[in-house]
Amino acid sequence: MIRVAAALALSLAAAPAFAADGQQLFNMQCKMCHAGGPMGPSLTGVAGAKIASKDGFAYSPGLKAKGGTWTDANLDAFLKAPAQFAPGTKMMISVPSDENRQAIVAFLKTLK
Ligand code: HEC
C-alpha cells in the first residue's frame, strides 16, 4: 500500500517537471522559428487545433493538404519525421528522441 502511494506521488510530481523539460527543449529547438514571426506559425493553442489553420501564416501546400487536427499522435508523428507526415512541408527540423518529443508535446499543450 505504501509503495503504491509513493509511486502515485512520484508520477504526480513528474508531470509538471515533464512540461518544464519540454519548455527548455522548445526554447532551444523551436522558439527561434515559432515566436510569431514570419519564420513559422505561432504555436499558441496548436494542440487540438486544425492543422495549418493559423491566420496570416503562409503554410506549404503540403501541410495545408494534410487535413485533420493536431492530436498528440499527429504532433508526435510530425515532429518525428515532418516530411513523412506531410510531404512538401516547409518545416525541416525533426526530434528523433521519443522522450524529447513526448516532453515537447506535453509543453505544446500548455501553450494556450
Ligand atoms: C527553422 C524554423 C523552424 C524550427 C526550428 C521549427 N519549426 Fe515548426 N514550423 C516551421 C514552419 C516553416 C512551419 C510551417 C510548415 C509548413 O507550412 O509546411 C512549422 C510548423 C509547425 C507546426 C504546425 C503548426 C500549424 O499551425 O499547423 C508545429 C506543431 C510545429 N511547427 C512545431 C515545432 C516544434 C515543436 C519545433 C521544435 C522541436 C519546431 N516546430 C521547430 C518552422 C520551424
Side-chain angles (χ1 to χ4, degrees), residues 43-45 108-112:
L43 295 181
T44 304
L108 289 178
K109 291 184 182 174
T110 69
L111 296 178
K112 293 192 174 140

Side-chain angles (χ1 to χ4, degrees), residues 19-44:
D21 290 347
Q23 177 165 29
Q24 216 169 42
L25 291 164
F26 183 87
N27 286 344
M28 290 188 300
Q29 301 180 16
C30 321
K31 203 174 176 179
M32 61 281 220
C33 292
H34 286 292
M39 294 289 289
S42 154
L43 295 181
T44 304

Side-chain angles (χ1 to χ4, degrees), residues 25-34 38-44 46-47 49-54 57-64 70 74-75 78-79 82 85-95 100-101 104-105 107-108:
L25 291 164
F26 183 87
N27 286 344
M28 290 188 300
Q29 301 180 16
C30 321
K31 203 174 176 179
M32 61 281 220
C33 292
H34 286 292
M39 294 289 289
S42 154
L43 295 181
T44 304
V46 74
K50 272 178 67 183
I51 292 174
S53 63
K54 282 273 150 81
F57 184 79
Y59 291 97
S60 65
L63 194 62
K64 268 206 279 204
W70 285 122
N74 280 340
L75 284 168
F78 180 59
L79 292 176
F85 179 83
T89 181
K90 293 194 282 189
M91 188 166 120
M92 297 299 168
I93 177 174
S94 67
V95 183
N100 288 357
R101 279 200 316 280
I104 288 172
V105 170
F107 173 68
L108 289 178

